[in-house]
Amino acid sequence: MEQIKHLENIMTISGTQSLENPAQRARILSDIATVKKTLQSRRDKLTELEGRLQESSLYTEELKSTIEALRNQIDSQTADIEALRSLLTKANQQITDLSNEVDSLNTTVTTVNQNLSEAEAASILLENELNTCYYVVAQKSQLKEHHIIETGFLRKSKLLKGDFDKGFFIIGDKRNLSTIDLKSNKVKIYTNHPEDSYEITGQHKNKILAITDPKKFWSLTNYLVVQID
């Protein structure tokens, strides 16, 4: 972002004096190369996030469209920067013509700056959504009341079927949720989590669920349902 501001300040200098200096033109070309590298980094980050999103249950058409829109914006600004680089390369023969491009360049650089900020904000939002999880620790009667489990005489309990109450769950972050206080001696986990990704410690009514491998623990589902009695 500092490099973009630096380029903008140089190109808004009135007249062509700064562009007639070969050293100054070389410096501007170097700054443009830095901007292109930054844009490429943003594009790579979006591609990485999209790949991770496709492997999760959160991948929706809306998020897919958001990623595609951001990628198109970055591609458009990359083309603008490449056009600017071409103009500066020809500056030895076109100093006068290049000076006439300064006003439009100001708008281009400002737009690049804005779109990079928007892309960064969108990347953070997607990252947070990918790491969102939901958990509930409650008695069997409470889980039934909120339609999280369904039970019947001689019938196996069904989990998260129908219109269950999502508001009854606690929202957590997979990156920093390491332990959950169960406050019970009798514990039953309904959701499917690899056994080697967690452990239950403590004694009596001081049981604690410790997540030892978060990535593996949440690999099968973003929900955790624990029954205590």
Side-chain angles (χ1 to χ4, degrees), residues 182 184-185 187-189 198-202 207-210 226:
L182 303 178
S184 176
N185 186 41
V187 175
K188 180 178 181 180
I189 299 178
Y198 70 95
E199 59 183 8
I200 297 178
T201 61
K207 294 288 187 179
I208 294 176
L209 188 151
V226 181

Side-chain angles (χ1 to χ4, degrees), residues 150-202:
E150 296 178 0
T151 61
F153 181 68
L154 297 179
R155 187 177 65 186
K156 186 176 181 181
S157 297
K158 294 182 179 180
L159 173 66
L160 302 178
K161 300 294 183 180
D163 188 22
F164 67 93
D165 185 3
K166 293 184 179 179
F168 192 55
F169 285 81
I170 298 174
I171 300 176
D173 189 322
K174 301 174 186 177
R175 293 167 293 190
N176 52 41
L177 182 63
S178 58
T179 60
I180 298 175
D181 191 355
L182 303 178
K183 297 181 180 179
S184 176
N185 186 41
K186 187 177 180 182
V187 175
K188 180 178 181 180
I189 299 178
Y190 278 96
T191 42
N192 191 17
H193 306 274
E195 293 183 359
D196 58 348
S197 66
Y198 70 95
E199 59 183 8
I200 297 178
T201 61

Side-chain angles (χ1 to χ4, degrees), residues 1-15:
M1 299 303 292
E2 289 299 324
Q3 289 293 334
I4 294 175
K5 293 177 182 178
H6 176 62
L7 174 61
E8 183 180 10
N9 290 335
I10 292 176
M11 296 308 298
T12 51
I13 298 175
S14 60

Side-chain angles (χ1 to χ4, degrees), residues 61-210:
E61 286 299 320
E62 181 179 355
L63 289 178
K64 180 180 179 181
S65 297
T66 298
I67 293 175
E68 188 60 30
L70 290 172
R71 183 180 289 112
N72 290 338
Q73 288 178 354
I74 292 176
D75 290 342
S76 175
Q77 296 309 320
T78 300
D80 290 338
I81 291 298
E82 182 58 31
L84 173 61
R85 186 199 63 79
S86 179
L87 286 173
L88 289 176
T89 301
K90 299 175 183 178
N92 286 327
Q93 296 81 28
Q94 301 176 345
I95 292 295
T96 301
D97 292 340
L98 187 58
S99 297
N100 296 329
E101 299 291 334
V102 171
D103 290 340
S104 61
L105 176 63
N106 291 335
T107 301
T108 297
V109 174
T110 299
T111 303
V112 170
N113 194 7
Q114 179 181 350
N115 286 335
L116 284 175
S117 297
E118 292 174 355
E120 181 71 20
S123 297
I124 294 174
L125 177 61
L126 289 174
E127 182 75 14
N128 290 338
E129 289 180 349
L130 283 171
N131 285 285
T132 298
C133 59
Y134 309 85
Y135 66 94
V136 61
V137 179
Q139 295 179 346
K140 184 176 183 179
S141 59
Q142 293 174 305
L143 296 177
K144 291 177 63 177
E145 177 184 351
H146 292 275
H147 306 290
I148 295 172
I149 63 172
E150 296 178 0
T151 61
F153 181 68
L154 297 179
R155 187 177 65 186
K156 186 176 181 181
S157 297
K158 294 182 179 180
L159 173 66
L160 302 178
K161 300 294 183 180
D163 188 22
F164 67 93
D165 185 3
K166 293 184 179 179
F168 192 55
F169 285 81
I170 298 174
I171 300 176
D173 189 322
K174 301 174 186 177
R175 293 167 293 190
N176 52 41
L177 182 63
S178 58
T179 60
I180 298 175
D181 191 355
L182 303 178
K183 297 181 180 179
S184 176
N185 186 41
K186 187 177 180 182
V187 175
K188 180 178 181 180
I189 299 178
Y190 278 96
T191 42
N192 191 17
H193 306 274
E195 293 183 359
D196 58 348
S197 66
Y198 70 95
E199 59 183 8
I200 297 178
T201 61
Q203 297 179 349
H204 305 297
K205 291 188 176 182
N206 295 318
K207 294 288 187 179
I208 294 176
L209 188 151

